[in-house]
Amino acid sequence: MKGAMPPRQFMVPGPGGPMLPPQQQFGLVETRPPLAAVLRPRFNIPGLHPSAAAAAAASGAGKIASTYDLVEPMRFLYVHVVKARDLPAVSATGAIDPFVEVKLGNFKGTTPVRAASHNPSWQQVFAFSATHLQSHLLEVALKAKDLAGDDLVGRVAFDLAEVPVRVPPDSPLAPQWYRLETKRGEKLPHGEIMLSVWLGTQADEAFPDAWHSDAHAAAGPAAVASTRAKVYFSPKLVYLRVAAIAAQDLIPHDTSRPMSACVKLQLAGQLRRTRPGAPPGTPNPIWNEEFMFVASEPFDEPLVVTVEDRVAPGRDEMLGRIFLPLAAAMPRHDHFGKPVEPRWYSLMRPSDDPDKKEVKFASKIQIRMSLDFGYHVLDESTYYSSDLQPSSKPARKPSIGMLELGVLGARNLVPMKPKDGRTTDAYCVAKYGPKWVRTRTILDTLNPQWNEQYTWEVFDPCTVITVVVFDNGQIGSKNGGGPDQRIGKVRIRLSTLETDRVYTHFYPLLVLNPSGLKKTGELHLAVRFTCTAWVNMMALYGRPLLPKMHYTQPIAVMQLDYLRHQAMQIVAARLSRAEPPLRREVVEYMLDVDSHMFSLRRSKANFHRITSLFFGFLAMLKWYDGIRSWWNSITTVLVHMLFLILICYPELILPTIFLYMFMIGLWNYRFRPRHPSHMDTKLSHAELTHPDELDEEFDTFPSSRPAEIVRMRYDRLRSIGGRVQTVVGDLATQGERAHALLSWRDPRATAIFVFLSLVVAVVLYVTPFQVLMVIGMLYLLRHPRFRSRMPSVPFNFYRRLPARSDMLL
């Protein structure tokens, strides 16, 4: 091939420095972390008095709630700043712009400034990690904002040895009023602040919305908000089915030429267009075309129906328009309901006054609309989908269990911001079903520790959970907020997990880019799948994967791909408007928006997947060839005896086959997978891929490469296509030869076959079936000295049959 280069062999340095082979470097590493469900860790906080630690252990603070038994407990000092009252004036005008500064060692957090308020309210929680406690004293200072400098109004100090311990599900600690003091400890005559201070863990309900000391380097409220842990939900999506049937009394702008009317349907950013109506030139065209759109609740976007007249290539004139709210569509929850009746609607012409209620004459269009709640709107690939439920709530299956994911941490991440003088600001996003979870961002570290646990309801075991690690582009970038960069992805199929077992592994984080395969770190996860309805779960294996409407009224594959792309765009747009936003590049990478694009690497991987399926068949052929070649005389004689027994007792054939399969299953149980599945670099053909193939895979569409490279890739694709064309032609030739047996295209060959068919029919009628089977077996398994190397007569006869390959141009 032109421009070809030898493939590269990747050797990756291990954690200790030496080079490791790819399969060892890219494999799973099983761990045994001290999870709270097994161990009972003690409170060991720097600066905490031993008596307070003993009280914490006695009160059960060393335990974590049962919902947090897949993560290691992390200790935090929480400070809830509620409000203040009766603050003294600090300026000549009598005004004060107060804010609160919470300081613990070198870590400092501040509340927003409340302008001109003597009784401000903040309702903000600060969380200081126990590993970062650098002082025995917590200081809460109330200050007044001033251009010359911030003035201290008063302060409150707490000794960490006196701080109480709270463990959920205890009720939240009630905040109290504290009189402000001067630096010398003297009480102020005016001014109080309401606070609550306690020691807790990440199981505390204040944890997700708290300001964390880990995020102290984030500049600005938006950057701080992007570091918090959040839970998101995908919008509820429904397929909208619209049929443009016909129109009546259309009035063209120019009556001197025949009219070519078509209908344009638009729902938000989705646009579809019909063919010109039939018969051509009539003011009453008929289309009878049906389209499907993706609609999302609350269904506030109307369907815009426009009838246009094609006056010239690329130029259309509007004949009428109507805005149809989706409330006008008939809801369909299954295929058993009554059929949707079409309705006539009046079109509004461009010259009509929209404020005028009644129009004397209007063109009409017949539309049939329905909201099909019985489908599942696909926004992921069906091969690794996390949700298969229909949009209709009454049609959904009951829950069969619970999936729990503990995001423990990561190690050996690659620096993503070396140009900005930082390492990596990593966070995780996990998706299962409509629920998305995002961990907090750990700033400027290559070994982040999250220890956050999340739970999902499971409705089908044949689903996949996706976990991705990103670098937060809103933190520490000198060029402003950039895109969040991907670090790696992990997929876990629930059906491969044993129930009620905790899997704790380091999963390799792999990224494929134009420069090749790169390991960007390892993600530490704990996964547990708990089944609560065994009978329902086992029954699911005999039910359809998708809802019934996908089979009773199937959607074309091409249309399904288009709808999936539209659904992904809607989900990405909706989640990007949340606060903090789940950015579009994050959602698109989670949903594999570019999985349909051509990739020579993926094509090779799929081809080898197909060929690997025939390995078992080839092994059986090799075993049969060894039997008929008498390589092992004892085995061949035993096979003869077994075959004779099955011929004499044919009722034992099927029981023998299924008993053999049962024994194979029991034997393979010893070699069952002990670990969850993960990204296989060898199966993906990612290790030895040519650099040009990777560059082609990551090229834009349409291509942005120079003409010489595009020509070389086109020639390569033509070469591959030529081989595929030859294989397909050979398969077609064999099928056409079988068809030619009785088609009389070769009269002599057909006459021979017809005559032999009569002879065989007579022989089979007068000869017992067992005798024929014995003769056939002995002939096929005859000794090699009685066998010729020349092709057999039936094979020669079949090869001589005509095919239609000679009729091709």
Side-chain angles (χ1 to χ4, degrees):
M1 183 174 59
K2 182 178 178 181
M5 296 176 60
R8 297 176 294 177
Q9 175 69 38
F10 287 88
M11 294 295 287
V12 188
M19 306 299 283
L20 299 176
Q23 289 302 314
Q24 182 178 350
Q25 182 69 14
F26 299 146
L28 293 181
V29 179
E30 188 172 7
T31 62
R32 297 186 180 274
L35 299 182
V38 181
L39 303 178
R40 183 175 178 176
R42 298 173 56 190
F43 256 76
N44 185 18
I45 301 179
L48 189 63
H49 195 273
S51 60
S59 64
K63 295 181 180 179
I64 203 164
S66 59
T67 55
Y68 275 77
D69 59 349
L70 292 185
V71 293
E72 300 178 33
M74 300 180 67
R75 312 303 173 187
F76 290 90
L77 174 66
Y78 290 98
V79 181
H80 185 195
V81 181
V82 184
K83 57 185 177 180
R85 67 183 180 186
D86 196 20
L87 297 182
V90 295
S91 63
T93 60
I96 181 175
D97 300 331
F99 68 96
V100 176
E101 181 182 274
V102 182
K103 185 177 181 181
L104 183 63
N106 293 328
F107 294 97
K108 180 174 62 176
T110 59
T111 67
V113 178
R114 301 300 186 219
S117 176
H118 290 270
N119 300 286
S121 177
W122 290 283
Q123 294 290 348
Q124 186 168 347
V125 180
F126 298 85
F128 296 89
S129 175
T131 59
H132 295 159
L133 298 185
Q134 302 170 341
S135 173
H136 296 268
L137 194 67
L138 171 67
E139 182 179 355
V140 181
L142 194 149
K143 296 184 177 182
K145 194 69 177 177
D146 193 5
L147 296 177
D150 299 336
D151 298 327
L152 177 66
V153 179
R155 61 188 287 272
V156 178
F158 296 89
D159 188 354
L160 295 188
E162 304 297 330
V163 173
V165 177
R166 175 181 177 265
V167 179
D170 291 350
S171 299
L173 197 66
Q176 300 180 22
W177 288 104
Y178 294 89
R179 180 64 64 85
L180 296 176
E181 304 174 350
T182 63
K183 289 184 178 181
R184 299 179 180 178
E186 301 173 354
K187 302 289 185 180
L188 295 177
H190 300 284
E192 290 181 307
I193 185 171
M194 180 178 281
L195 301 169
S196 59
V197 182
W198 71 94
L199 290 166
T201 65
Q202 72 269 41
D204 202 294
E205 62 271 7
F207 175 81
D209 295 323
W211 177 95
H212 287 269
S213 58
D214 297 336
H216 68 282
V224 172
S226 69
T227 64
R228 291 173 178 162
K230 289 293 179 181
V231 176
Y232 306 83
F233 281 89
S234 299
K236 182 179 179 180
L237 304 179
V238 182
Y239 285 142
L240 173 66
R241 190 187 299 268
V242 182
I245 301 175
Q248 289 185 356
D249 303 327
L250 296 180
I251 302 176
H253 295 276
D254 185 3
T255 58
S256 61
R257 56 172 183 78
M259 183 168 47
S260 178
C262 62
V263 180
K264 183 175 70 174
L265 305 169
Q266 184 173 3
L267 180 65
Q270 307 170 63
L271 182 64
R272 308 300 293 272
R273 188 187 296 270
T274 66
R275 295 186 295 270
T282 178
N284 304 312
I286 299 175
W287 297 285
N288 276 326
E289 293 190 42
E290 190 175 76
F291 302 96
M292 295 191 72
F293 301 86
V294 179
S296 62
E297 287 189 344
F299 305 133
D300 50 357
E301 292 283 349
L303 176 69
V304 183
V305 181
T306 308
V307 180
E308 297 179 336
D309 183 16
R310 176 62 58 89
V311 298
R315 182 187 169 195
D316 300 318
E317 289 185 355
M318 185 176 70
L319 302 179
R321 173 180 292 174
I322 184 174
F323 296 86
L324 297 177
L326 297 190
M330 177 180 174
R332 298 177 62 216
H333 296 273
D334 52 45
H335 61 286
F336 298 112
K338 62 180 181 179
V340 182
E341 297 294 335
R343 297 177 59 185
W344 288 96
Y345 298 93
S346 298
L347 293 172
M348 185 176 63
R349 291 179 295 180
S351 58
D352 293 341
D353 186 3
D355 298 330
K356 192 175 181 180
K357 295 183 179 180
E358 294 185 2
V359 180
K360 294 183 179 179
F361 179 83
S363 302
K364 302 288 185 177
I365 185 170
Q366 192 179 27
I367 297 292
R368 184 173 63 242
M369 295 174 55
S370 65
L371 284 170
D372 293 345
F373 288 87
Y375 290 100
H376 167 68
V377 180
L378 294 169
D379 58 356
E380 305 169 286
S381 173
T382 53
Y383 301 114
Y384 35 83
S385 179
S386 63
D387 185 19
L388 303 171
Q389 294 282 76
S391 302
S392 174
K393 288 185 178 180
R396 295 180 181 176
K397 296 171 288 190
S399 171
I400 63 166
M402 197 72 64
L403 172 65
E404 298 168 277
L405 174 70
V407 185
L408 301 177
R411 67 181 183 184
N412 301 330
L413 299 181
V414 296
M416 305 299 292
K417 300 171 182 172
K419 295 182 180 180
D420 298 326
R422 302 178 62 84
T423 54
T424 299
D425 305 311
Y427 70 93
C428 288
V429 178
K431 180 189 183 301
Y432 184 77
K435 181 179 176 181
W436 304 61
V437 298
R438 169 179 177 159
T439 68
R440 71 189 191 281
T441 301
I442 307 297
L443 303 187
D444 202 16
T445 178
L446 300 180
N447 300 284
Q449 298 296 318
W450 292 287
N451 283 301
E452 298 181 25
Q453 184 170 339
Y454 299 96
T455 305
W456 289 267
E457 276 190 297
V458 178
F459 298 91
D460 197 311
C462 302
T463 46
V464 177
I465 181 174
T466 303
V467 187
V468 182
V469 183
F470 292 95
D471 174 71
N472 195 330
Q474 314 308 304
I475 307 297
S477 178
K478 296 180 180 179
N479 300 325
D484 292 354
Q485 302 182 61
R486 60 188 70 169
I487 298 179
K489 178 185 296 184
V490 174
R491 291 197 196 102
I492 303 175
R493 183 171 292 275
L494 268 62
S495 59
T496 62
L497 303 179
E498 299 179 11
T499 56
D500 300 320
R501 175 184 170 185
V502 178
Y503 293 85
T504 54
H505 293 84
F506 272 108
Y507 293 81
L509 298 175
L510 308 173
V511 170
L512 195 63
N513 48 43
S515 61
L517 180 65
K518 184 178 182 181
K519 182 176 179 180
T520 55
E522 292 176 300
L523 179 62
H524 198 189
L525 298 178
V527 183
R528 178 171 59 199
F529 171 44
T530 305
C531 180
T532 57
W534 272 93
V535 176
N536 292 342
M537 184 180 69
M538 302 306 292
L540 283 175
Y541 281 90
R543 296 179 182 175
L545 192 66
L546 294 171
K548 294 180 180 179
M549 286 193 69
H550 284 271
Y551 305 98
T552 57
Q553 295 184 4
I555 305 174
V557 176
M558 295 296 294
Q559 190 175 22
L560 204 59
D561 288 340
Y562 170 80
L563 294 174
R564 174 175 173 257
H565 179 74
Q566 297 299 329
M568 287 189 294
Q569 297 300 322
I570 293 175
V571 172
R574 185 70 63 87
L575 295 182
S576 64
R577 295 200 300 266
E579 185 59 39
L582 201 58
R583 298 173 64 87
R584 177 175 289 272
E585 62 269 15
V586 173
V587 178
E588 290 181 349
Y589 183 59
M590 295 283 292
L591 298 179
D592 284 324
V593 69
D594 56 349
S595 60
H596 65 286
M597 300 298 293
F598 172 76
S599 168
L600 190 59
R601 175 188 61 84
R602 288 199 194 104
S603 301
K604 290 180 178 179
N606 291 331
F607 174 77
H608 282 81
R609 288 172 60 195
I610 294 176
T611 57
S612 64
L613 298 178
F614 296 98
F615 285 165
F617 180 71
L618 295 177
M620 291 181 62
L621 290 180
K622 186 176 181 181
W623 174 81
Y624 169 74
D625 185 66
I627 295 297
R628 66 192 295 264
S629 301
W630 291 75
W631 292 345
N632 190 327
S633 302
I634 299 177
T635 304
T636 304
V637 171
L638 291 176
V639 169
H640 279 73
M641 295 174 60
L642 177 62
F643 203 85
L644 290 173
I645 293 173
L646 294 178
I647 290 176
C648 296
Y649 303 95
E651 64 274 7
L652 297 179
I653 295 178
L654 290 179
T656 302
I657 293 175
F658 284 100
L659 181 61
Y660 180 66
M661 295 169 63
F662 172 76
M663 298 302 297
I664 291 178
L666 287 183
W667 178 261
N668 290 339
Y669 181 78
R670 301 171 52 198
F671 312 102
R672 67 189 185 278
R674 303 286 183 173
H675 309 297
S677 57
H678 66 291
M679 302 293 183
D680 192 334
T681 57
K682 185 177 181 180
L683 179 66
S684 305
H685 279 246
E687 301 174 9
L688 306 177
T689 306
H690 193 275
D692 183 70
E693 296 177 5
L694 292 176
D695 184 73
E696 179 184 18
E697 181 175 344
F698 289 94
D699 191 9
T700 58
F701 187 85
S703 178
S704 59
R705 298 297 184 264
E708 295 79 7
I709 296 179
V710 175
R711 186 181 299 111
M712 183 269 292
R713 292 173 179 172
Y714 175 68
D715 292 339
R716 178 176 61 194
L717 190 61
R718 289 178 61 192
S719 175
I720 297 174
R723 300 175 202 168
V724 175
Q725 171 184 290
T726 303
V727 174
V728 173
D730 291 342
L731 293 176
T733 297
Q734 304 306 321
E736 289 170 353
R737 285 172 175 168
H739 185 265
L741 287 171
L742 297 172
S743 66
W744 293 92
R745 188 177 174 205
D746 185 343
R748 288 167 293 277
T750 303
I752 294 173
F753 181 75
V754 170
F755 177 74
L756 289 178
S757 298
L758 178 61
V759 174
V760 171
V762 174
V763 172
L764 291 177
Y765 181 76
V766 301
T767 308
F769 179 75
Q770 287 85 350
V771 175
L772 294 175
M773 291 296 296
V774 170
I775 295 175
M777 179 206 65
L778 295 177
Y779 176 77
L780 292 175
L781 300 180
R782 65 191 186 277
H783 198 273
R785 70 175 60 184
F786 303 111
R787 195 179 297 128
S788 173
R789 294 182 178 272
M790 300 301 293
S792 62
V793 174
F795 181 80
N796 294 332
F797 178 77
Y798 189 80
R799 287 293 300 271
R800 291 178 177 274
L801 292 173
R804 293 195 291 179
S805 56
D806 54 346
M807 300 171 60
L808 295 175
L809 292 177

